Amino acid sequence: MTAFDDRKVAPWSLCLLASLALFVAAEVWPQEKTQKTPQEKAAYNVTVNAITIAVTVQDKKGRYINNLEEKDFVVYENNEKKTINYFQHDQSAPLSLTVLLDVSGSMALENKFEECRRALQVLAEKVLAPQDELALLVFADGEVEVAARHSTDRSAFLAALEQEQAYGKTALNDAVAVSPQYAVRARNEKRALILITDGIENDSQSSAEQALEIARRVDVPIYVIGYKIPRAEEILARHKRRTGLTAMGIVETLKMFADATGGKAFFLDDLESLLAAIYEIKQEQSHQYLIGYTSYKDDDKYRRIRVTTVKGNYRIRTRQGY
């Protein structure tokens, strides 16, 4: 059974072990020793990757910059300048948006789940353009479910959203590890994942760092909405599995997920600001540049990405690496 075939989703152990196996195989799996010439070794070890990154450019006041051309960008990988071989900036291009919604028991507190449901109804009915795709993933009790597949038809999304109820524990890290693998399968070039959660983590098999190591290998920015994060120690104590669960720790973890993948983190406490964040995410997607280049790798080590512009003192946000 695969993780995303239908609403019957495999336990996290199956999904996560498969992902971790792919991650570590190159470094720990024993290789058969054979004699090769230096030329054969070089050819055998080099992997060619087509890398695409979504780039957001804003001025100091936060206004989006939309008049840049391919020649205005410089892309570096591990401080090596790369040749741009793909460039797209179409503000009307359709978007494939995947919502990853925390439906664990803690989301039932303080009316969190109902307010998130209302905001997502607005997203489906009023925010997205008719050509935009929308999908819904939900997670609780060690499983992730595809509640509604990517579609321009909002009826399945809205029906699934109406049926969901908050229950069980929260495997937040595990959800972040596997969900981008579903989001990247959407048909549109512009893709994003919106994670909505109160940030409580008490059921994952992976650490936040392990989850991020897997998620950032997929070219999908994660926009994180930390909604009504518990601040009182007595509330956190009811849900924590480890002593490290604190309000500050939750914020740092969620911000790490967003920053590393080129997304953005929001920390909100009311429905009005939640709706504003939903609108902002859609707006940002419309203004993004898509830039592609070719990477030649002879190992499986992390590669850091940096993007600059040759004109203007702009703030640039993109995926930090892979």
Side-chain angles (χ1 to χ4, degrees):
M1 182 184 297
T2 60
F4 300 110
D5 282 343
D6 50 35
R7 287 191 62 92
K8 295 180 179 179
V9 181
W12 284 119
S13 56
L14 299 180
C15 305
L16 204 57
L17 284 174
S19 298
L20 288 172
L22 289 173
F23 167 59
V24 302
E27 296 189 4
V28 303
W29 195 260
Q31 302 293 322
E32 181 181 355
K33 292 184 178 180
T34 58
Q35 296 297 323
K36 296 182 176 67
T37 66
Q39 293 80 6
E40 288 174 328
K41 289 180 180 179
Y44 180 80
N45 290 328
V46 173
T47 301
V48 180
N49 296 302
I51 306 299
T52 304
I53 52 176
V55 180
T56 301
V57 185
Q58 295 172 286
D59 64 16
K60 292 182 178 180
K61 294 184 178 180
R63 295 172 297 197
Y64 294 103
I65 304 301
N66 293 303
N67 60 349
L68 299 178
E69 301 176 13
E70 178 180 331
K71 62 182 176 62
D72 298 321
F73 287 91
V74 183
V75 178
Y76 298 91
E77 182 179 287
N78 282 358
N79 293 322
E80 177 187 348
K81 185 177 178 180
K82 310 302 290 187
T83 299
I84 296 174
N85 52 30
Y86 178 76
F87 183 84
Q88 190 244 80
H89 184 234
D90 182 357
Q91 292 180 253
S92 62
L95 166 68
S96 290
L97 192 61
T98 305
V99 174
L100 176 60
L101 178 62
D102 182 351
V103 297
S104 63
S106 62
M107 290 292 288
L109 304 175
E110 301 181 71
N111 209 33
K112 284 182 280 191
F113 186 72
E114 290 305 320
E115 290 175 359
C116 289
R117 193 202 312 264
R118 175 57 188 147
L120 291 176
Q121 289 170 340
V122 173
L123 169 68
E125 296 173 338
K126 298 181 179 180
V127 177
L128 295 182
Q131 68 270 26
D132 292 335
E133 287 187 329
L134 184 60
L136 177 63
L137 307 183
V138 296
F139 67 97
D141 257 4
E143 292 185 351
V144 65
E145 294 182 353
V146 180
R149 297 177 181 274
H150 287 106
S151 175
T152 56
D153 182 358
R154 309 290 184 244
S155 59
F157 180 93
L158 292 169
L161 189 62
E162 188 63 32
Q163 294 173 3
E164 293 298 334
Q165 300 295 327
Y167 70 97
K169 294 183 179 181
T170 315
L172 172 61
N173 296 337
D174 293 347
V176 170
V178 301
S179 296
Q181 299 173 35
Y182 179 81
V184 79
R185 300 177 189 178
R187 66 179 179 179
N188 294 320
E189 282 190 300
K190 285 192 174 182
R191 309 180 186 98
L193 181 72
I194 298 181
L195 166 62
I196 304 179
T197 178
D198 61 5
I200 290 176
E201 161 59 69
N202 56 19
D203 199 35
S204 284
Q205 297 182 33
S206 61
S207 67
E209 291 74 19
Q210 288 172 325
L212 181 60
E213 190 63 43
I214 298 170
R216 69 184 179 185
R217 290 173 176 251
V218 181
D219 182 30
V220 176
I222 301 176
Y223 290 84
V224 178
I225 297 178
Y227 195 59
K228 294 187 177 181
I229 294 173
R231 293 175 175 83
E233 178 59 31
E234 58 268 25
I235 296 177
L236 289 168
R238 299 176 199 165
H239 301 281
K240 68 172 60 178
R241 186 179 68 178
R242 297 182 293 269
T243 57
L245 185 65
T246 64
M248 182 175 294
I250 289 173
V251 169
E252 290 176 352
T253 297
L254 295 180
K255 193 172 186 303
M256 177 181 69
F257 291 150
D259 290 347
T261 60
K264 188 175 181 179
F266 303 82
F267 301 101
L268 313 170
D269 290 301
D270 60 81
L271 179 57
E272 183 178 356
S273 58
L274 178 57
L275 290 169
I278 293 290
Y279 277 98
E280 182 176 339
I281 292 169
K282 165 58 178 174
Q283 182 185 33
E284 176 163 307
Q285 289 294 303
S286 300
H287 292 286
Q288 279 183 340
Y289 297 83
L290 294 181
I291 297 175
Y293 67 92
T294 302
S295 174
Y296 300 90
K297 296 182 62 176
D298 57 3
D299 56 48
D300 198 42
K301 295 180 180 179
Y302 178 73
R303 299 298 179 98
R304 185 166 296 279
I305 297 173
R306 180 167 58 93
V307 178
T308 64
T309 58
V310 297
K311 64 179 183 180
N313 186 17
Y314 299 133
R315 295 185 299 179
I316 299 175
R317 181 156 35 86
T318 191
R319 180 182 177 190
Q320 292 179 351
Y322 67 98

PDB file of all heavy atoms in Angstrom, residues 129-164:
ATOM      1  N   ALA A 129      -8.329  31.234  -7.913  1.00  0.00           N
ATOM      2  CA  ALA A 129      -8.885  31.439  -9.250  1.00  0.00           C
ATOM      3  C   ALA A 129      -9.498  30.129  -9.744  1.00  0.00           C
ATOM      4  O   ALA A 129      -9.129  29.045  -9.278  1.00  0.00           O
ATOM      5  CB  ALA A 129      -7.786  31.894 -10.203  1.00  0.00           C
ATOM      6  N   PRO A 130     -10.432  30.195 -10.689  1.00  0.00           N
ATOM      7  CA  PRO A 130     -11.091  28.966 -11.169  1.00  0.00           C
ATOM      8  C   PRO A 130     -10.121  27.922 -11.711  1.00  0.00           C
ATOM      9  O   PRO A 130     -10.375  26.719 -11.605  1.00  0.00           O
ATOM     10  CB  PRO A 130     -12.022  29.483 -12.272  1.00  0.00           C
ATOM     11  CG  PRO A 130     -12.292  30.901 -11.903  1.00  0.00           C
ATOM     12  CD  PRO A 130     -11.022  31.409 -11.285  1.00  0.00           C
ATOM     13  N   GLN A 131      -8.994  28.359 -12.280  1.00  0.00           N
ATOM     14  CA  GLN A 131      -8.049  27.404 -12.868  1.00  0.00           C
ATOM     15  C   GLN A 131      -7.076  26.824 -11.844  1.00  0.00           C
ATOM     16  O   GLN A 131      -6.296  25.923 -12.165  1.00  0.00           O
ATOM     17  CB  GLN A 131      -7.257  28.062 -14.007  1.00  0.00           C
ATOM     18  CG  GLN A 131      -6.293  29.157 -13.568  1.00  0.00           C
ATOM     19  CD  GLN A 131      -6.932  30.529 -13.557  1.00  0.00           C
ATOM     20  OE1 GLN A 131      -8.146  30.653 -13.413  1.00  0.00           O
ATOM     21  NE2 GLN A 131      -6.107  31.559 -13.724  1.00  0.00           N
ATOM     22  N   ASP A 132      -7.098  27.316 -10.609  1.00  0.00           N
ATOM     23  CA  ASP A 132      -6.198  26.809  -9.574  1.00  0.00           C
ATOM     24  C   ASP A 132      -6.666  25.454  -9.055  1.00  0.00           C
ATOM     25  O   ASP A 132      -7.865  25.228  -8.861  1.00  0.00           O
ATOM     26  CB  ASP A 132      -6.120  27.785  -8.398  1.00  0.00           C
ATOM     27  CG  ASP A 132      -5.422  29.080  -8.757  1.00  0.00           C
ATOM     28  OD1 ASP A 132      -4.602  29.069  -9.691  1.00  0.00           O
ATOM     29  OD2 ASP A 132      -5.703  30.103  -8.100  1.00  0.00           O
ATOM     30  N   GLU A 133      -5.707  24.571  -8.794  1.00  0.00           N
ATOM     31  CA  GLU A 133      -6.009  23.272  -8.194  1.00  0.00           C
ATOM     32  C   GLU A 133      -5.914  23.364  -6.671  1.00  0.00           C
ATOM     33  O   GLU A 133      -5.117  24.130  -6.136  1.00  0.00           O
ATOM     34  CB  GLU A 133      -5.011  22.212  -8.662  1.00  0.00           C
ATOM     35  CG  GLU A 133      -5.177  21.762 -10.085  1.00  0.00           C
ATOM     36  CD  GLU A 133      -4.254  20.596 -10.390  1.00  0.00           C
ATOM     37  OE1 GLU A 133      -3.157  20.518  -9.805  1.00  0.00           O
ATOM     38  OE2 GLU A 133      -4.636  19.764 -11.218  1.00  0.00           O
ATOM     39  N   LEU A 134      -6.699  22.529  -5.995  1.00  0.00           N
ATOM     40  CA  LEU A 134      -6.695  22.505  -4.536  1.00  0.00           C
ATOM     41  C   LEU A 134      -6.832  21.067  -4.060  1.00  0.00           C
ATOM     42  O   LEU A 134      -7.634  20.301  -4.598  1.00  0.00           O
ATOM     43  CB  LEU A 134      -7.848  23.354  -3.998  1.00  0.00           C
ATOM     44  CG  LEU A 134      -7.959  23.529  -2.479  1.00  0.00           C
ATOM     45  CD1 LEU A 134      -6.708  24.196  -1.912  1.00  0.00           C
ATOM     46  CD2 LEU A 134      -9.203  24.344  -2.134  1.00  0.00           C
ATOM     47  N   ALA A 135      -6.029  20.697  -3.059  1.00  0.00           N
ATOM     48  CA  ALA A 135      -6.106  19.361  -2.467  1.00  0.00           C
ATOM     49  C   ALA A 135      -6.072  19.493  -0.951  1.00  0.00           C
ATOM     50  O   ALA A 135      -5.552  20.478  -0.409  1.00  0.00           O
ATOM     51  CB  ALA A 135      -4.950  18.484  -2.942  1.00  0.00           C
ATOM     52  N   LEU A 136      -6.611  18.489  -0.264  1.00  0.00           N
ATOM     53  CA  LEU A 136      -6.646  18.500   1.198  1.00  0.00           C
ATOM     54  C   LEU A 136      -6.038  17.221   1.750  1.00  0.00           C
ATOM     55  O   LEU A 136      -6.497  16.117   1.444  1.00  0.00           O
ATOM     56  CB  LEU A 136      -8.087  18.636   1.699  1.00  0.00           C
ATOM     57  CG  LEU A 136      -8.281  18.586   3.222  1.00  0.00           C
ATOM     58  CD1 LEU A 136      -7.572  19.756   3.899  1.00  0.00           C
ATOM     59  CD2 LEU A 136      -9.770  18.581   3.575  1.00  0.00           C
ATOM     60  N   LEU A 137      -4.981  17.377   2.553  1.00  0.00           N
ATOM     61  CA  LEU A 137      -4.414  16.287   3.336  1.00  0.00           C
ATOM     62  C   LEU A 137      -4.692  16.576   4.803  1.00  0.00           C
ATOM     63  O   LEU A 137      -4.593  17.723   5.238  1.00  0.00           O
ATOM     64  CB  LEU A 137      -2.901  16.178   3.129  1.00  0.00           C
ATOM     65  CG  LEU A 137      -2.361  16.073   1.705  1.00  0.00           C
ATOM     66  CD1 LEU A 137      -0.845  15.908   1.737  1.00  0.00           C
ATOM     67  CD2 LEU A 137      -3.009  14.934   0.957  1.00  0.00           C
ATOM     68  N   VAL A 138      -5.028  15.548   5.568  1.00  0.00           N
ATOM     69  CA  VAL A 138      -5.257  15.720   7.002  1.00  0.00           C
ATOM     70  C   VAL A 138      -4.394  14.716   7.752  1.00  0.00           C
ATOM     71  O   VAL A 138      -4.111  13.626   7.251  1.00  0.00           O
ATOM     72  CB  VAL A 138      -6.746  15.534   7.367  1.00  0.00           C
ATOM     73  CG1 VAL A 138      -7.596  16.609   6.705  1.00  0.00           C
ATOM     74  CG2 VAL A 138      -7.250  14.152   6.972  1.00  0.00           C
ATOM     75  N   PHE A 139      -3.971  15.096   8.968  1.00  0.00           N
ATOM     76  CA  PHE A 139      -3.134  14.169   9.733  1.00  0.00           C
ATOM     77  C   PHE A 139      -3.503  14.176  11.208  1.00  0.00           C
ATOM     78  O   PHE A 139      -3.827  15.208  11.790  1.00  0.00           O
ATOM     79  CB  PHE A 139      -1.645  14.489   9.551  1.00  0.00           C
ATOM     80  CG  PHE A 139      -1.186  15.798  10.141  1.00  0.00           C
ATOM     81  CD1 PHE A 139      -0.591  15.847  11.393  1.00  0.00           C
ATOM     82  CD2 PHE A 139      -1.330  16.982   9.438  1.00  0.00           C
ATOM     83  CE1 PHE A 139      -0.143  17.045  11.933  1.00  0.00           C
ATOM     84  CE2 PHE A 139      -0.884  18.190   9.964  1.00  0.00           C
ATOM     85  CZ  PHE A 139      -0.294  18.224  11.218  1.00  0.00           C
ATOM     86  N   ALA A 140      -3.476  12.967  11.778  1.00  0.00           N
ATOM     87  CA  ALA A 140      -3.703  12.742  13.207  1.00  0.00           C
ATOM     88  C   ALA A 140      -3.432  11.275  13.497  1.00  0.00           C
ATOM     89  O   ALA A 140      -3.548  10.423  12.603  1.00  0.00           O
ATOM     90  CB  ALA A 140      -5.134  13.100  13.607  1.00  0.00           C
ATOM     91  N   ASP A 141      -3.065  10.987  14.740  1.00  0.00           N
ATOM     92  CA  ASP A 141      -2.870   9.611  15.196  1.00  0.00           C
ATOM     93  C   ASP A 141      -1.938   8.796  14.299  1.00  0.00           C
ATOM     94  O   ASP A 141      -2.208   7.638  13.979  1.00  0.00           O
ATOM     95  CB  ASP A 141      -4.225   8.902  15.322  1.00  0.00           C
ATOM     96  CG  ASP A 141      -4.666   8.801  16.778  1.00  0.00           C
ATOM     97  OD1 ASP A 141      -3.956   9.346  17.652  1.00  0.00           O
ATOM     98  OD2 ASP A 141      -5.700   8.177  17.041  1.00  0.00           O
ATOM     99  N   GLY A 142      -0.854   9.410  13.841  1.00  0.00           N
ATOM    100  CA  GLY A 142       0.158   8.675  13.104  1.00  0.00           C
ATOM    101  C   GLY A 142      -0.177   8.355  11.668  1.00  0.00           C
ATOM    102  O   GLY A 142       0.487   7.529  11.043  1.00  0.00           O
ATOM    103  N   GLU A 143      -1.190   8.972  11.103  1.00  0.00           N
ATOM    104  CA  GLU A 143      -1.550   8.726   9.706  1.00  0.00           C
ATOM    105  C   GLU A 143      -1.819  10.047   8.996  1.00  0.00           C
ATOM    106  O   GLU A 143      -2.206  11.033   9.612  1.00  0.00           O
ATOM    107  CB  GLU A 143      -2.789   7.837   9.600  1.00  0.00           C
ATOM    108  CG  GLU A 143      -2.575   6.415  10.063  1.00  0.00           C
ATOM    109  CD  GLU A 143      -3.793   5.540   9.834  1.00  0.00           C
ATOM    110  OE1 GLU A 143      -4.851   6.081   9.480  1.00  0.00           O
ATOM    111  OE2 GLU A 143      -3.678   4.324  10.004  1.00  0.00           O
ATOM    112  N   VAL A 144      -1.604  10.031   7.691  1.00  0.00           N
ATOM    113  CA  VAL A 144      -2.007  11.148   6.843  1.00  0.00           C
ATOM    114  C   VAL A 144      -3.002  10.604   5.837  1.00  0.00           C
ATOM    115  O   VAL A 144      -2.867   9.480   5.362  1.00  0.00           O
ATOM    116  CB  VAL A 144      -0.809  11.799   6.122  1.00  0.00           C
ATOM    117  CG1 VAL A 144      -0.163  10.859   5.149  1.00  0.00           C
ATOM    118  CG2 VAL A 144      -1.231  13.080   5.424  1.00  0.00           C
ATOM    119  N   GLU A 145      -4.022  11.384   5.545  1.00  0.00           N
ATOM    120  CA  GLU A 145      -5.044  10.949   4.599  1.00  0.00           C
ATOM    121  C   GLU A 145      -5.219  11.987   3.502  1.00  0.00           C
ATOM    122  O   GLU A 145      -5.154  13.194   3.753  1.00  0.00           O
ATOM    123  CB  GLU A 145      -6.385  10.744   5.307  1.00  0.00           C
ATOM    124  CG  GLU A 145      -6.394   9.612   6.314  1.00  0.00           C
ATOM    125  CD  GLU A 145      -7.759   9.418   6.947  1.00  0.00           C
ATOM    126  OE1 GLU A 145      -8.649  10.260   6.684  1.00  0.00           O
ATOM    127  OE2 GLU A 145      -7.940   8.449   7.693  1.00  0.00           O
ATOM    128  N   VAL A 146      -5.434  11.498   2.301  1.00  0.00           N
ATOM    129  CA  VAL A 146      -5.804  12.376   1.196  1.00  0.00           C
ATOM    130  C   VAL A 146      -7.319  12.529   1.255  1.00  0.00           C
ATOM    131  O   VAL A 146      -8.064  11.674   0.787  1.00  0.00           O
ATOM    132  CB  VAL A 146      -5.371  11.799  -0.159  1.00  0.00           C
ATOM    133  CG1 VAL A 146      -5.775  12.748  -1.283  1.00  0.00           C
ATOM    134  CG2 VAL A 146      -3.876  11.549  -0.186  1.00  0.00           C
ATOM    135  N   ALA A 147      -7.761  13.606   1.849  1.00  0.00           N
ATOM    136  CA  ALA A 147      -9.200  13.833   1.980  1.00  0.00           C
ATOM    137  C   ALA A 147      -9.813  14.298   0.667  1.00  0.00           C
ATOM    138  O   ALA A 147     -10.963  13.983   0.365  1.00  0.00           O
ATOM    139  CB  ALA A 147      -9.465  14.860   3.076  1.00  0.00           C
ATOM    140  N   ALA A 148      -9.041  15.056  -0.129  1.00  0.00           N
ATOM    141  CA  ALA A 148      -9.508  15.510  -1.446  1.00  0.00           C
ATOM    142  C   ALA A 148      -8.297  15.673  -2.350  1.00  0.00           C
ATOM    143  O   ALA A 148      -7.335  16.352  -1.989  1.00  0.00           O
ATOM    144  CB  ALA A 148     -10.272  16.825  -1.331  1.00  0.00           C
ATOM    145  N   ARG A 149      -8.346  15.054  -3.514  1.00  0.00           N
ATOM    146  CA  ARG A 149      -7.237  15.132  -4.462  1.00  0.00           C
ATOM    147  C   ARG A 149      -7.201  16.484  -5.167  1.00  0.00           C
ATOM    148  O   ARG A 149      -8.180  17.228  -5.146  1.00  0.00           O
ATOM    149  CB  ARG A 149      -7.371  14.017  -5.508  1.00  0.00           C
ATOM    150  CG  ARG A 149      -7.276  12.612  -4.929  1.00  0.00           C
ATOM    151  CD  ARG A 149      -7.488  11.567  -6.020  1.00  0.00           C
ATOM    152  NE  ARG A 149      -7.420  10.217  -5.485  1.00  0.00           N
ATOM    153  CZ  ARG A 149      -6.284   9.538  -5.334  1.00  0.00           C
ATOM    154  NH1 ARG A 149      -5.143  10.095  -5.699  1.00  0.00           N
ATOM    155  NH2 ARG A 149      -6.290   8.315  -4.834  1.00  0.00           N
ATOM    156  N   HIS A 150      -6.071  16.778  -5.819  1.00  0.00           N
ATOM    157  CA  HIS A 150      -5.945  18.025  -6.568  1.00  0.00           C
ATOM    158  C   HIS A 150      -7.027  18.109  -7.643  1.00  0.00           C
ATOM    159  O   HIS A 150      -7.187  17.194  -8.456  1.00  0.00           O
ATOM    160  CB  HIS A 150      -4.577  18.114  -7.243  1.00  0.00           C
ATOM    161  CG  HIS A 150      -3.463  18.373  -6.284  1.00  0.00           C
ATOM    162  ND1 HIS A 150      -2.554  17.413  -5.914  1.00  0.00           N
ATOM    163  CD2 HIS A 150      -3.123  19.500  -5.600  1.00  0.00           C
ATOM    164  CE1 HIS A 150      -1.693  17.926  -5.053  1.00  0.00           C
ATOM    165  NE2 HIS A 150      -2.009  19.183  -4.846  1.00  0.00           N
ATOM    166  N   SER A 151      -7.742  19.213  -7.629  1.00  0.00           N
ATOM    167  CA  SER A 151      -8.802  19.404  -8.606  1.00  0.00           C
ATOM    168  C   SER A 151      -9.195  20.874  -8.644  1.00  0.00           C
ATOM    169  O   SER A 151      -9.034  21.603  -7.657  1.00  0.00           O
ATOM    170  CB  SER A 151     -10.029  18.556  -8.243  1.00  0.00           C
ATOM    171  OG  SER A 151     -11.105  18.819  -9.126  1.00  0.00           O
ATOM    172  N   THR A 152      -9.708  21.296  -9.791  1.00  0.00           N
ATOM    173  CA  THR A 152     -10.283  22.638  -9.886  1.00  0.00           C
ATOM    174  C   THR A 152     -11.739  22.645  -9.432  1.00  0.00           C
ATOM    175  O   THR A 152     -12.333  23.710  -9.268  1.00  0.00           O
ATOM    176  CB  THR A 152     -10.196  23.150 -11.334  1.00  0.00           C
ATOM    177  OG1 THR A 152     -10.848  22.208 -12.203  1.00  0.00           O
ATOM    178  CG2 THR A 152      -8.746  23.321 -11.769  1.00  0.00           C
ATOM    179  N   ASP A 153     -12.300  21.467  -9.232  1.00  0.00           N
ATOM    180  CA  ASP A 153     -13.662  21.328  -8.708  1.00  0.00           C
ATOM    181  C   ASP A 153     -13.594  21.394  -7.187  1.00  0.00           C
ATOM    182  O   ASP A 153     -12.998  20.532  -6.547  1.00  0.00           O
ATOM    183  CB  ASP A 153     -14.256  19.997  -9.167  1.00  0.00           C
ATOM    184  CG  ASP A 153     -15.692  19.804  -8.687  1.00  0.00           C
ATOM    185  OD1 ASP A 153     -16.214  20.687  -7.963  1.00  0.00           O
ATOM    186  OD2 ASP A 153     -16.291  18.766  -9.019  1.00  0.00           O
ATOM    187  N   ARG A 154     -14.182  22.402  -6.591  1.00  0.00           N
ATOM    188  CA  ARG A 154     -14.062  22.616  -5.147  1.00  0.00           C
ATOM    189  C   ARG A 154     -15.009  21.732  -4.324  1.00  0.00           C
ATOM    190  O   ARG A 154     -14.888  21.673  -3.102  1.00  0.00           O
ATOM    191  CB  ARG A 154     -14.352  24.080  -4.803  1.00  0.00           C
ATOM    192  CG  ARG A 154     -13.571  25.090  -5.627  1.00  0.00           C
ATOM    193  CD  ARG A 154     -12.100  25.100  -5.274  1.00  0.00           C
ATOM    194  NE  ARG A 154     -11.411  26.139  -6.021  1.00  0.00           N
ATOM    195  CZ  ARG A 154     -10.469  25.919  -6.918  1.00  0.00           C
ATOM    196  NH1 ARG A 154     -10.076  24.686  -7.181  1.00  0.00           N
ATOM    197  NH2 ARG A 154      -9.891  26.916  -7.558  1.00  0.00           N
ATOM    198  N   SER A 155     -15.932  21.056  -4.960  1.00  0.00           N
ATOM    199  CA  SER A 155     -16.962  20.332  -4.214  1.00  0.00           C
ATOM    200  C   SER A 155     -16.376  19.221  -3.347  1.00  0.00           C
ATOM    201  O   SER A 155     -16.786  19.038  -2.191  1.00  0.00           O
ATOM    202  CB  SER A 155     -18.009  19.759  -5.171  1.00  0.00           C
ATOM    203  OG  SER A 155     -17.412  18.886  -6.117  1.00  0.00           O
ATOM    204  N   ALA A 156     -15.414  18.468  -3.873  1.00  0.00           N
ATOM    205  CA  ALA A 156     -14.816  17.378  -3.095  1.00  0.00           C
ATOM    206  C   ALA A 156     -14.046  17.929  -1.901  1.00  0.00           C
ATOM    207  O   ALA A 156     -14.098  17.372  -0.797  1.00  0.00           O
ATOM    208  CB  ALA A 156     -13.901  16.539  -3.983  1.00  0.00           C
ATOM    209  N   PHE A 157     -13.327  19.020  -2.113  1.00  0.00           N
ATOM    210  CA  PHE A 157     -12.573  19.652  -1.025  1.00  0.00           C
ATOM    211  C   PHE A 157     -13.517  20.113   0.083  1.00  0.00           C
ATOM    212  O   PHE A 157     -13.298  19.837   1.269  1.00  0.00           O
ATOM    213  CB  PHE A 157     -11.780  20.834  -1.579  1.00  0.00           C
ATOM    214  CG  PHE A 157     -10.954  21.565  -0.557  1.00  0.00           C
ATOM    215  CD1 PHE A 157      -9.624  21.229  -0.358  1.00  0.00           C
ATOM    216  CD2 PHE A 157     -11.501  22.598   0.197  1.00  0.00           C
ATOM    217  CE1 PHE A 157      -8.853  21.907   0.584  1.00  0.00           C
ATOM    218  CE2 PHE A 157     -10.740  23.277   1.141  1.00  0.00           C
ATOM    219  CZ  PHE A 157      -9.415  22.928   1.330  1.00  0.00           C
ATOM    220  N   LEU A 158     -14.582  20.804  -0.294  1.00  0.00           N
ATOM    221  CA  LEU A 158     -15.517  21.339   0.697  1.00  0.00           C
ATOM    222  C   LEU A 158     -16.261  20.223   1.430  1.00  0.00           C
ATOM    223  O   LEU A 158     -16.489  20.307   2.642  1.00  0.00           O
ATOM    224  CB  LEU A 158     -16.505  22.282   0.014  1.00  0.00           C
ATOM    225  CG  LEU A 158     -15.895  23.587  -0.515  1.00  0.00           C
ATOM    226  CD1 LEU A 158     -16.881  24.321  -1.411  1.00  0.00           C
ATOM    227  CD2 LEU A 158     -15.453  24.483   0.642  1.00  0.00           C
ATOM    228  N   ALA A 159     -16.617  19.172   0.705  1.00  0.00           N
ATOM    229  CA  ALA A 159     -17.318  18.053   1.335  1.00  0.00           C
ATOM    230  C   ALA A 159     -16.414  17.344   2.340  1.00  0.00           C
ATOM    231  O   ALA A 159     -16.835  16.999   3.452  1.00  0.00           O
ATOM    232  CB  ALA A 159     -17.803  17.076   0.271  1.00  0.00           C
ATOM    233  N   ALA A 160     -15.165  17.128   1.952  1.00  0.00           N
ATOM    234  CA  ALA A 160     -14.220  16.468   2.854  1.00  0.00           C
ATOM    235  C   ALA A 160     -13.947  17.331   4.081  1.00  0.00           C
ATOM    236  O   ALA A 160     -13.871  16.830   5.210  1.00  0.00           O
ATOM    237  CB  ALA A 160     -12.920  16.179   2.114  1.00  0.00           C
ATOM    238  N   LEU A 161     -13.815  18.617   3.859  1.00  0.00           N
ATOM    239  CA  LEU A 161     -13.558  19.539   4.959  1.00  0.00           C
ATOM    240  C   LEU A 161     -14.695  19.522   5.969  1.00  0.00           C
ATOM    241  O   LEU A 161     -14.484  19.561   7.188  1.00  0.00           O
ATOM    242  CB  LEU A 161     -13.366  20.948   4.392  1.00  0.00           C
ATOM    243  CG  LEU A 161     -12.871  22.031   5.332  1.00  0.00           C
ATOM    244  CD1 LEU A 161     -11.485  21.692   5.865  1.00  0.00           C
ATOM    245  CD2 LEU A 161     -12.842  23.373   4.599  1.00  0.00           C
ATOM    246  N   GLU A 162     -15.910  19.436   5.477  1.00  0.00           N
ATOM    247  CA  GLU A 162     -17.085  19.426   6.349  1.00  0.00           C
ATOM    248  C   GLU A 162     -17.144  18.168   7.208  1.00  0.00           C
ATOM    249  O   GLU A 162     -17.634  18.197   8.344  1.00  0.00           O
ATOM    250  CB  GLU A 162     -18.349  19.532   5.493  1.00  0.00           C
ATOM    251  CG  GLU A 162     -19.625  19.718   6.293  1.00  0.00           C
ATOM    252  CD  GLU A 162     -19.650  21.020   7.077  1.00  0.00           C
ATOM    253  OE1 GLU A 162     -19.062  22.010   6.597  1.00  0.00           O
ATOM    254  OE2 GLU A 162     -20.248  21.037   8.174  1.00  0.00           O
ATOM    255  N   GLN A 163     -16.616  17.075   6.705  1.00  0.00           N
ATOM    256  CA  GLN A 163     -16.693  15.797   7.414  1.00  0.00           C
ATOM    257  C   GLN A 163     -15.620  15.627   8.485  1.00  0.00           C
ATOM    258  O   GLN A 163     -15.773  14.802   9.386  1.00  0.00           O
ATOM    259  CB  GLN A 163     -16.575  14.643   6.414  1.00  0.00           C
ATOM    260  CG  GLN A 163     -17.738  14.543   5.445  1.00  0.00           C
ATOM    261  CD  GLN A 163     -17.499  13.490   4.375  1.00  0.00           C
ATOM    262  OE1 GLN A 163     -16.482  12.795   4.390  1.00  0.00           O
ATOM    263  NE2 GLN A 163     -18.426  13.377   3.443  1.00  0.00           N
ATOM    264  N   GLU A 164     -14.537  16.381   8.399  1.00  0.00           N
ATOM    265  CA  GLU A 164     -13.414  16.167   9.309  1.00  0.00           C
ATOM    266  C   GLU A 164     -13.748  16.558  10.744  1.00  0.00           C
ATOM    267  O   GLU A 164     -14.469  17.520  10.989  1.00  0.00           O
ATOM    268  CB  GLU A 164     -12.186  16.948   8.839  1.00  0.00           C
ATOM    269  CG  GLU A 164     -11.601  16.462   7.531  1.00  0.00           C
ATOM    270  CD  GLU A 164     -11.107  15.025   7.607  1.00  0.00           C
ATOM    271  OE1 GLU A 164     -10.759  14.561   8.715  1.00  0.00           O
ATOM    272  OE2 GLU A 164     -11.068  14.369   6.554  1.00  0.00           O
TER     273      GLU A 164
END
